[in-house]
């Protein structure tokens, strides 16, 4: 199995874990506080899922560049754009859509732990002990 295949499999695993965490957070907020809070949690988790997909796409593009320097430019420019996108999306959720900040930010933070799914995988990129 090549690098791209491993990256795709690990990306799917991370996205699935993040989707599950998003649904769990939204369910928890929905049961405890109602539908508006559940929607805010869904939005926060969706931001993480979007950013993860973006990261995977850019890493794949960086691997297909002609030189390591060009790959680094792709990675670093993508990082800056992703951070800006997070700020804009969170700001839009809280400011424009008037979503509750606590569930939005909580789900955003918790779904970041979906990256641990790639650490648990056989053949994963960053397994401990290797």
């Amino acid at each position: 199995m090549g690098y791209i295949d491993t990256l795709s499999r690990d990306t799917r695993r991370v996205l699935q874990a993040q989707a599950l965490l998003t649904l769990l957070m939204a369910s928890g907020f929905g049961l405890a506080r109602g539908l508006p809070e559940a929607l805010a949690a869904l939005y926060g988790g969706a931001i993480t899922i979007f950013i993860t997909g973006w990261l995977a796409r850019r890493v794949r593009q960086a691997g297909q560049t002609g030189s390591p320097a060009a790959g680094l430019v792709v990675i670093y420019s993508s990082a800056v754009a992703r951070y800006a996108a997070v700020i804009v999306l969170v700001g839009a959720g809280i400011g424009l859509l008037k979503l509750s900040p606590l569930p939005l930010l909580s789900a955003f933070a918790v779904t970041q732990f979906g990256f641990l799914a790639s650490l648990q995988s056989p053949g994963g990129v960053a397994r401990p002990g290797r």
Side-chain angles (χ1 to χ4, degrees):
M1 183 177 291
Y3 173 74
I4 297 298
D5 295 330
T6 301
L7 180 64
S8 295
R9 186 190 70 233
D10 287 345
T11 299
R12 274 193 307 276
R13 186 174 285 124
V14 169
L15 289 171
Q16 289 169 347
Q18 288 176 335
L20 177 63
L21 289 169
T22 298
L23 293 175
L24 289 172
M25 291 293 293
S27 298
F29 275 106
L31 289 172
R33 298 176 130 188
L35 182 62
E37 306 284 321
L39 293 175
L42 282 174
Y43 183 84
I47 293 171
T48 300
I49 292 167
F50 171 72
I51 296 301
T52 300
W54 186 350
L55 171 64
R57 183 173 159 261
R58 297 299 285 183
V59 167
R60 190 173 299 117
Q61 287 176 346
Q64 296 170 348
T65 59
S67 71
L72 282 176
V73 169
V74 170
I75 295 292
Y76 284 123
S77 65
S78 174
V80 170
R82 282 191 334 270
Y83 284 119
V86 166
I87 291 168
V88 168
L89 290 170
V90 168
I94 294 170
L96 293 176
L97 300 175
K98 305 293 186 214
L99 297 172
S100 179
L102 178 65
L104 190 155
L105 294 173
S106 297
F108 176 79
V110 168
T111 55
Q112 296 295 322
F113 289 106
F115 279 104
L116 295 176
S118 68
L119 297 177
Q120 302 291 331
S121 67
V125 176
R127 291 184 312 185
R130 270 209 160 172

